Amino acid sequence: MNKYQQFFNDKSLEFAEELYKRADKELLQLLKQQKIDRDTLMTQVANIMLKYEIKDSVLNLSNNDFKKVYQEVKLTVVEVFKEETEKEINGLRELLITIGQDKFYSSSFLLSLGLNFKLQKISEKALEKIINKKINGLIYSDRIWANKKKVAKLLQNEIKEFLQGNITVNDIEKVIKHRFNSNASNTKRLVRNETARVQTEVNEVWAKDYDIDWQMWMATLDDKTSKICGRYDGKKWRRTDPNKKIPIEDSHINCRCSLVSLPSEDYKPKFRRDNQNKEKVNWQTYEEWKVGIK
């Protein structure tokens, strides 16, 4: 091991963490918009309750009033989710392009320290192929559309039930919040999973381009790490091993693990980050760390 190899392994993990932080910033903006949309709808519903008769804690609308009000609220829901869908597709695409490029460039930059070789960049074709990879027949934008369409449809039906007097004025706020919480969960899961997937697949392209021989599974030292990821932590494979485990493919949605490149089969880092107390600790596997905190 030379100082450049040690620096490469330490900084690779730090760069990966920074890319996840960048994704969380984009996610925060999307969730802020969802909260604004939720409050817009709740204000419209509150105005309906002020305008029309309430009897025994439910709305008492005439047939004509029901048709008129339902169409107005339905239009709000359609417009809100159409705008959210477009923003999330465009925002996630820009994020994934940046994440993919920076993952490749940061790894190349670190590898170049102390070595003499020509830096490459990931091709647009390769990056587009990764970003638009189909999972169960759907790319990321298809899944955003499907998620939004499902939530919007459920919300429209619940608003309809409310206007027909089947959901009380006391319960409609909880119903709307619950539906938007589901909407937020869908967005969080998709953004985080796509961010991890793109990093992993770009890392595989990079490792192939630079002929990396050995890789090691690196999990996160905290109580959120799954049993699957904890079991693989510290395991090493040749890059070309057909039985090699790959994060997301061999783990789970929202996986935070990564395959790190090694200078040799017998190398292991001297330190790693304990995410429970945010400190650097001596190298240990997840299973060893878990035993130590009990």
Side-chain angles (χ1 to χ4, degrees):
M1 279 294 296
N2 62 46
K3 63 180 180 180
Y4 300 111
Q5 291 170 330
Q6 180 68 55
F7 182 82
F8 172 83
N9 282 274
D10 292 344
K11 293 301 178 182
S12 291
L13 295 176
E14 291 184 24
F15 275 127
E17 185 176 357
E18 285 303 314
L19 293 179
Y20 282 119
K21 288 180 180 178
R22 185 178 303 174
D24 282 342
K25 288 181 180 179
E26 174 65 25
L27 177 58
L28 181 61
Q29 294 305 310
L30 297 177
L31 296 181
K32 283 182 177 178
Q33 182 60 52
Q34 289 184 15
K35 186 176 184 299
I36 291 172
D37 294 339
R38 183 200 69 187
D39 292 345
T40 296
L41 181 59
M42 289 178 63
T43 297
Q44 187 175 11
V45 169
N47 289 334
I48 292 170
M49 290 189 285
L50 290 173
K51 184 175 180 179
Y52 295 96
E53 180 186 17
I54 297 174
K55 187 176 181 180
D56 296 328
S57 297
V58 297
L59 279 177
N60 185 29
L61 301 180
S62 67
N63 190 49
N64 287 337
D65 285 339
F66 164 75
K67 291 180 180 179
K68 176 186 175 183
V69 174
Y70 177 61
Q71 287 304 315
E72 291 174 351
V73 181
K74 182 179 179 181
L75 180 60
T76 299
V77 173
V78 169
E79 290 179 344
V80 158
F81 280 88
K82 180 176 182 295
E83 186 173 346
E84 277 190 16
T85 301
E86 292 172 352
K87 285 184 177 180
E88 290 189 20
I89 288 176
N90 294 333
L92 183 54
R93 174 175 171 75
E94 291 180 9
L95 173 67
L96 295 180
I97 289 173
T98 301
I99 291 290
Q101 291 175 336
D102 285 0
K103 178 65 176 179
F104 194 94
Y105 297 154
S106 62
S107 295
S108 298
F109 168 72
L110 291 174
L111 188 63
S112 72
L113 299 177
L115 299 176
N116 183 21
F117 73 94
K118 183 178 179 180
L119 284 172
Q120 303 179 51
K121 67 177 183 177
I122 188 169
S123 70
E124 291 184 10
K125 183 178 179 180
L127 186 54
E128 283 293 327
K129 183 178 179 180
I130 289 171
I131 291 174
N132 292 313
K133 179 180 179 179
K134 288 186 176 181
I135 299 175
N136 297 325
L138 301 175
I139 65 174
Y140 74 96
S141 57
D142 296 329
R143 296 200 298 280
I144 290 175
W145 274 109
N147 288 340
K148 297 294 182 183
K149 184 178 180 180
K150 181 179 180 180
V151 173
K153 186 66 175 178
L154 290 170
L155 192 53
Q156 288 172 14
N157 289 336
E158 289 162 343
I159 294 294
K160 185 177 182 179
E161 290 288 301
F162 165 68
L163 297 177
Q164 290 177 329
N166 297 321
I167 295 177
T168 71
V169 296
N170 298 319
D171 291 334
I172 188 60
E173 180 182 3
K174 290 184 290 185
V175 169
I176 294 174
K177 284 185 175 181
H178 173 73
R179 196 56 59 203
F180 271 92
N181 285 341
S182 297
N183 186 37
S185 294
N186 289 339
T187 299
K188 288 177 184 178
R189 183 176 64 248
L190 197 148
V191 170
R192 287 172 176 167
N193 200 65
E194 287 299 288
T195 299
R197 182 186 66 78
V198 167
Q199 279 206 65
T200 294
E201 295 190 19
V202 166
N203 187 59
E204 287 299 289
V205 171
W206 177 84
K208 181 179 179 181
D209 285 354
Y210 285 104
D211 199 26
I212 299 299
D213 199 16
W214 287 94
Q215 295 171 308
M216 179 176 68
W217 185 288
M218 185 79 80
T220 303
L221 300 184
D222 63 24
D223 57 9
K224 296 179 182 179
T225 294
S226 70
K227 291 182 179 179
I228 294 175
C229 297
R231 184 171 69 246
Y232 292 149
D233 185 50
K235 301 293 184 184
K236 302 174 186 177
W237 296 273
R238 284 192 180 276
R239 176 182 56 80
T240 55
D241 186 344
N243 297 314
K244 179 182 71 176
K245 301 300 181 182
I246 300 176
I248 300 299
E249 288 186 16
D250 296 301
S251 54
H252 55 89
I253 292 174
N254 282 338
C255 178
R256 299 169 297 158
C257 300
S258 61
L259 282 175
V260 298
S261 301
L262 304 178
S264 64
E265 178 184 5
D266 58 353
Y267 168 76
K268 67 178 180 181
K270 293 181 180 180
F271 306 99
R272 65 185 306 185
R273 181 180 174 82
D274 184 331
N275 212 43
Q276 289 285 89
N277 55 29
K278 311 300 182 183
E279 295 179 354
K280 183 181 290 187
V281 297
N282 290 330
W283 169 262
Q284 54 196 295
T285 66
Y286 178 81
E287 294 297 334
E288 292 169 337
W289 172 84
K290 190 175 181 180
V291 171
I293 65 172
K294 287 184 178 179

